[in-house]
Every structure is written in structure tokens, then in C-alpha cells.
Amino acid sequence: MKKLKILIITLTVIAVSAFTSENDLMIMKDGYKVGDIATDFSLKNIDGEMVSLADFKEAKGFIVVFTCNTCPVSVRNEERILALDKKYKALGYPVIAINPNNPAVQPGDSYALMKVRAKEKKFTFPYLFDDGQKIFPQYGATATPHTYILKKEKEGLRVKYIGGIDDSSRNAANVKSKYVEDAVDALLANKEIKVTSTRAIGCSIKV
Amino acid sequence: MLVYIFLYMRYSRIYTFFIIICCVLIITSCKNETDRAKETNENDVIEVYNFNQLKPLLNKSNDDKIHVVNFWATWCAPCVKELPYFEELQANNKDVEVVLVSLDFPDKFESQLIPFVKEKNLGSQVILLDDPNENEWIAEIDDAWQGALPATLIYTDTKRTFYAQSFTREDLLKEIEKFTKI
């Protein structure tokens, strides 16, 4: 009986400690989870201006996309990112693109070349440079492209979705589920988001 | 205490893997024969697989080999940089079997992947994974993987580790060492 007691106590301790430590590790390693409050930032846009999410007084939320000039998966998703901004900016969910890469490692992702890329592709959204790579680790972005949907709430910017733009990053013609569109549509309709986190092929962030 | 928790988490994960492997083996056992026939193809043939066809290569057993499955793409610079280390492994170590799973764009198969494999004269088996349902199969390969390239799975009958990272030659050999039976 005593043994059983010890066993139960041990198991409880393991379960509790494993659970809490996992949470701690997640925050350290993986950044935000759905439901967390995201911090705002102040990052330099391609026009030289500093941009914060607080600047967008009218916005209901944001589609934050970590993307870059060089990653072929990002390039292949540029049209989709433009389409998201076109559709959802007017509805209160503008796209905010952030380049998380270190140009010392990936010279094609320099601030100067961000300007070139944005001009070439006629970006309609801010394209911000995560200078010093402070912001992407807070979010926990692991790849380009990597999308976070944030909703303005009383407590701050609530993370509502993390993951891919859709279920077919490599081939737009094969898309069956448009995760980001579905999520923003649900937010706009005050409905629950069915799929709140997904995975997608991408380029590792260059640190 | 931290070490204890770490070990606990680690082994609980391995246990989960074990269950998944068993399920996969049972489900795919009938299919294995046809897939094995494909595996023995010449190295210069690049097979195009969907995830179900790839799965047996992620779960080989009873062959005493160290299986190294590298997820890469011709467009991924860190992947291309580490490819030679995997090729050296395949060439120099009889106990290691390397499979290079390309996530190149399926519409660039002819124009990019095939010429690249020919030019580099890759000796390892190369497979193009063309399966649109990436949200599901990325998680199935490893729960910790978000889908960024490169990534590598190393496994034997008794040990299985997933690496969402790139390797130096030294680091890769160090990891392989951990799988070598004494």
C-alpha cells in the first residue's frame, strides 16, 4: 500500500513537472502558441519609416507573414500573399510582411534588395526588416513563409492562427484548404476557427 | 530535476514513435512487397512518391542498418551544402543507408531536380515527394517538424531521432556514431 502511494505521488510529480517544463520549453524554443498575446514591434519598412502594429488604429487584426526575397517557396507564395492583402485589408486584417533573415548569411535578403523585390512585385503591404533578428524568435517563426493571424482584443493582440497560407505551398493549383482565408473569415464572422495551426514546407530562417 | 524531465519527455516520445511504427508496419505490411521492388531500382532513376509510398522507407526494420533520410531541395542552399556529407556517409559506411527525399517543386522535376542529380552524380537513392497534403505528412514524419528545410531523420531498429536543422560533416558523423552498435 505504501509502495502504491509512493508510486502515485511519483507519477503525479512526473506528470506535473513534465507538463510545466514542456510549457516552459515551448515558450523558449517555439515562441507563441495559439491563444497567446503577441507583443508589438517597431521595424523599418522598405520606405524607411518605422512601423508598429499600434499604428493601424482601424485594423481589427493582422495577417503577419514572415517571408523573404530569396526563398523559392516564399516567391511562389507572393501572389497568394498579395491576394490576402487585397481581400482582407479592407475588411480590417491587413498583411504585414517581415523578413527575418540575416543578410550576412543570405545576402539576397538585404534591406536594399527588399526594396527592389517589393517594387518589382508591387507589394501593397508593409515589408519590414527584422534587423538584428529580435522579433522572429519571439513569434517562434521557423521558416519562410510562416503566417500568424493576430486579433485585437482588450488584452492585446491575440494569436489566433499559426502556420501555412494553405495546404499546398508548392503548387497553388492543388490548394484544397485555404487555412489563412478560412481563419480570417471565421474571425470576421465571429465564429470559431476550425484549423488553428498547420505546417508547411518552407526555407529555414537564416541566422 | 531538469535532466529527469528531459529524459522522461524523450522516452515518452520514443514510446509514441514505437506505437506509430507498429501501426504503420501492420497497415503497410501487405503493401511492402511492391514498394521494395521499387527500392531496388537503379540509383539514377528518381521515383516520384506520395507520402504513403514514402512511409515504408521511414520505417524499415530488421536489417541492422542505420537509415538516414534527408529532406532537401535543389533550391535550398543549406541543403545543397550538406548533401556531400550524406553522400560520403552512403559511400563510406556499409551499415548506413541514405535516402534523399527531395521537396523540389513537382513542376521543376524535369528542369531542376533531374539535371541536378545527374550533375552531382548522386549515389544515394533520390525520391521526389509529391503529396499536396503537407500539413498532415509533415506532422507524421515528426511532430516537432514545422516543415522548414533541411531536415533529417536517422533511425535504426531501436533508436529514432529527427533533426530539424542542417549539419556540418563533423556533427553528422557524431550523430551517426550514436546509432552505431557496440
Side-chain angles (χ1 to χ4, degrees), chain A residues 153-206:
Chain A
E153 289 185 356
K154 268 187 204 155
E155 298 83 7
L157 296 160
R158 180 88 60 194
V159 179
K160 302 299 274 187
Y161 171 87
I162 303 174
I165 292 168
D166 51 49
D167 62 351
S168 177
S169 63
R170 288 185 291 179
N171 185 355
N174 270 348
V175 172
K176 288 199 182 75
S177 298
K178 295 184 171 182
Y179 299 128
V180 168
E181 285 200 29
D182 292 349
V184 181
D185 286 345
L187 288 175
L188 290 170
N190 259 329
K191 285 183 182 157
E192 202 163 316
I193 299 170
K194 281 189 186 132
V195 182
T196 56
S197 69
T198 62
R199 299 151 200 260
I201 297 168
C203 305
S204 57
I205 291 173
K206 308 299 182 286

Side-chain angles (χ1 to χ4, degrees), chain B residues 17 120 124 159:
Chain B
F17 267 131
K120 301 276 178 186
S124 312
K159 188 171 157 73

Side-chain angles (χ1 to χ4, degrees), chain A residues 21 167 169-170 199 201-202 204, chain B residues 5 129 132 134-135 143 145:
Chain A
S21 76
D167 62 351
S169 63
R170 288 185 291 179
R199 299 151 200 260
I201 297 168
S204 57
Chain B
I5 292 159
L129 176 56
E134 61 194 62
N135 178 40
D143 195 43
W145 191 25

Side-chain angles (χ1 to χ4, degrees), chain B residues 21-53:
Chain B
I21 292 163
C22 288
C23 293
V24 166
L25 281 179
I26 292 162
I27 292 162
T28 57
S29 58
C30 336
K31 265 185 60 194
N32 264 351
E33 254 171 64
T34 50
D35 288 324
R36 296 236 181 259
K38 274 186 190 165
E39 280 163 34
T40 53
N41 271 357
E42 293 293 320
N43 279 337
D44 55 343
V45 178
I46 303 170
E47 298 279 357
V48 181
Y49 281 4
N50 63 28
F51 185 64
N52 272 333
Q53 291 170 305

Side-chain angles (χ1 to χ4, degrees), chain A residues 81-102:
Chain A
I81 297 167
L82 281 161
L84 283 174
D85 191 55
K86 193 176 174 192
K87 183 171 176 185
Y88 290 108
K89 188 169 11 194
L91 297 171
Y93 279 85
V95 165
I96 310 288
I98 302 174
N99 167 22
N101 284 345
N102 179 359

